[in-house]
């Protein structure tokens, strides 16, 4: 079973800074099957990135995804106040159907 | 744009069962992959299982095998998740979510739409 490990657990940055979040898989996965979600307190997750690098509908271009094999990255180029949230990576595809990382909390410094 | 509306919060006793519903509107219910994901307080997201209504059979995460049942009623575009033998550790927000299904390679796709979540509290 694929295990996704996200780092860091918590990232403290200021608005305007660049954020780099990591997701590492326990075995190589197809980049076609890697997604990122944003979740704010009291809300459901929101899809940001799918296929490792494709932005979902309505997602600003300051969000970008990259990576392949076992190492994937979510980058937020210039943090806006509304970007402070928890970010989770996800593997999807066949068996098991879905796996999530444990999440990275992006907090205001 | 598919919208998912879940049933309301539940308080249950240990050892009992809970059944949460998820009604879809605005899309082709039968061809989506519908998943149930839970989130315990302060914890990450955990996939429990899912169903593709057009196939009718569900598959489950190993952790929940034997304790969770996921069904779908195409006539009402509603999916259900029933969790039995509840314990305090099952206290969580339960979400339904939909994603696509890739017919070419029989794989599921990213979760594009989510319900609002249902809080299930297990307490004696």
């Amino acid at each position: 079973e694929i295990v996704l490990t996200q780092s860091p657990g918590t990232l403290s940055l200021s608005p305007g800074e660049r954020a780099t979040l990591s997701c590492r898989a326990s075995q190589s996965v197809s980049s076609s099957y890697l997604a990122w979600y944003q979740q704010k307190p009291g809300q459901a997750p929101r899809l940001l990135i799918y296929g490792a690098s494709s932005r979902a509908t309505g997602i600003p271009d300051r969000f970008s995804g990259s990576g392949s094999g076992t190492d994937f990255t979510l980058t937020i180029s210039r943090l806006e106040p509304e970007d402070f949230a928890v970010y989770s990576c996800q593997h999807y595809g066949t068996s098991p159907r879905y796996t999530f990382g444990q999440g990275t909390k992006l907090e205001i410094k | 744009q598919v919208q998912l509306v879940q049933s309301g919060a539940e308080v249950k006793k240990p050892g009992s069962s809970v059944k949460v519903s998820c009604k879809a509107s605005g899309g082709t219910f039968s061809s989506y992959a519908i998943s149930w994901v839970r989130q315990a307080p302060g914890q990450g997201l955990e996939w429990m299982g899912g169903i593709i209504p057009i196939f009718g059979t569900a598959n489950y995460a190993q952790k929940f095998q034997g304790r969770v049942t996921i069904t779908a009623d195409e006539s009402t575009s509603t999916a259900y998740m029933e969790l039995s033998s509840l314990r305090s550790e099952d206290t969580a927000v339960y979400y339904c979510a939909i994603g696509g299904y890739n017919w070419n390679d029989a794989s599921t796709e990213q979760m594009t739409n989510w319900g609002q979540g249902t809080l299930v509290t297990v307490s004696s």
Side-chain angles (χ1 to χ4, degrees):
Chain A
E1 180 176 323
I2 294 169
V3 176
L4 299 178
T5 302
Q6 294 186 238
S7 61
T10 301
L11 183 59
S12 300
L13 294 170
S14 301
E17 291 192 292
R18 180 185 186 89
T20 303
L21 287 68
S22 173
C23 175
R24 177 162 289 179
S26 58
Q27 58 187 275
S28 183
V29 302
S30 169
S31 58
S32 299
Y33 300 138
L34 197 287
W36 290 91
Y37 297 84
Q38 177 194 66
Q39 188 177 23
K40 298 179 181 179
Q43 296 184 16
R46 178 175 72 143
L47 176 67
L48 295 177
I49 301 287
Y50 64 95
S53 60
S54 297
R55 275 187 300 276
T57 303
I59 302 304
D61 60 7
R62 64 179 181 273
F63 291 91
S64 63
S66 62
S68 63
T70 60
D71 292 306
F72 298 88
T73 301
L74 174 69
T75 302
I76 310 171
S77 58
R78 284 179 56 85
L79 286 166
E80 297 287 343
E82 63 268 26
D83 297 337
F84 292 91
V86 174
Y87 293 84
S88 299
C89 59
Q90 178 201 48
H91 176 258
Y92 50 93
T94 52
S95 182
R97 294 289 186 177
Y98 300 95
T99 305
F100 288 95
Q102 82 281 16
T104 290
K105 181 180 181 181
L106 177 57
E107 64 176 24
I108 298 177
K109 188 173 182 180
Chain B
Q1 179 78 331
V2 178
Q3 291 192 316
L4 303 175
V5 177
Q6 298 182 222
S7 50
E10 302 263 13
V11 179
K12 293 293 183 179
K13 299 285 189 188
S16 67
S17 298
V18 67
K19 191 171 186 177
V20 181
S21 67
C22 171
K23 184 171 177 58
S25 60
T28 309
F29 178 77
S30 296
S31 61
Y32 287 118
I34 302 167
S35 286
W36 288 90
V37 176
R38 79 175 186 180
Q39 186 170 40
Q43 302 301 307
L45 301 167
E46 184 173 34
W47 182 73
M48 301 177 68
I51 189 168
I52 300 169
I54 200 169
F55 294 151
T57 54
N59 59 5
Y60 305 110
Q62 192 168 3
K63 175 178 178 177
F64 298 100
Q65 284 275 5
R67 216 162 59 92
V68 67
T69 303
I70 294 172
T71 56
D73 182 343
E74 293 183 72
S75 67
T76 59
S77 297
T78 303
Y80 300 91
M81 185 282 300
E82 184 169 22
L83 187 63
S84 62
S85 302
L86 290 169
R87 35 207 187 232
S88 59
E89 310 89 89
D90 295 317
T91 293
V93 176
Y94 290 77
Y95 294 100
C96 62
I98 60 164
Y101 180 75
N102 188 323
W103 294 89
N104 292 326
D105 62 5
S107 66
T108 54
E109 298 180 344
Q110 63 279 3
M111 296 175 181
T112 54
N113 299 77
W114 295 67
Q116 82 276 19
T118 297
L119 175 62
V120 175
T121 303
V122 183
S123 174
S124 55

